[in-house]
Amino acid sequence: MTYVPCSCSKRWIKIPDAETPCVQDMAKFAVEEFNNEHKGSLKYKRVIEGWYKELDENNIRYRLHVHVNDCLRRLLKFMAIVFTQHNENDEITKTLESFEQLF
């Protein structure tokens, strides 16, 4: 994702192309973290749509709607909230804040 100067918006901004590799990686991270924390077996399929919110120049929160398959191969929709923090070495730390099924 290309870095845009921080406007530190209080609102969610739609991600124009949820198919980009960095957005897909963020969603895969969310599914993997959920599976690790809950001994789950969800299989990542794709990002349906997503938004981001710049908290400051180093911190961004992502809200992603993700399709996954469960152990019965049912297609389920989840909303993942992932917080990212960029440090001075341009390394990114990701934290899964929420992963909830949407009905």
Side-chain angles (χ1 to χ4, degrees):
M1 177 176 284
T2 306
Y3 178 73
V4 178
C6 181
S7 60
C8 300
S9 175
K10 299 288 185 196
R11 62 182 183 86
W12 291 101
I13 300 167
K14 182 135 176 91
I15 297 171
D17 182 6
E19 297 295 321
T20 59
C22 61
V23 175
Q24 296 294 313
D25 289 345
M26 196 78 59
K28 289 175 186 176
F29 165 80
V31 174
E32 289 171 6
E33 282 296 297
F34 177 83
N35 283 338
N36 289 339
E37 290 175 16
H38 300 281
K39 297 184 174 140
S41 59
L42 297 177
K43 302 282 188 228
Y44 172 78
K45 296 303 287 181
R46 70 183 193 94
V47 175
I48 304 161
E49 59 186 342
W51 301 263
Y52 70 96
K53 185 188 296 188
E54 292 179 320
L55 306 175
D56 61 35
E57 66 258 1
N58 295 318
N59 300 301
I60 301 173
R61 184 168 281 126
Y62 294 88
R63 183 176 75 196
L64 306 172
H65 289 184
V66 180
H67 271 159
V68 300
N69 288 121
D70 67 3
C71 62
L72 300 175
R73 295 189 177 174
R74 296 176 294 192
L75 186 64
L76 305 174
K77 184 177 178 181
F78 282 80
M79 179 176 64
I81 305 290
V82 179
F83 173 76
T84 62
Q85 184 174 33
H86 299 253
N87 68 20
E88 61 275 354
N89 298 327
D90 207 27
E91 297 171 340
I92 300 172
T93 302
K94 296 181 267 191
T95 305
L96 180 63
E97 294 185 332
S98 174
F99 196 79
E100 299 179 7
Q101 188 172 1
L102 300 174
F103 296 97

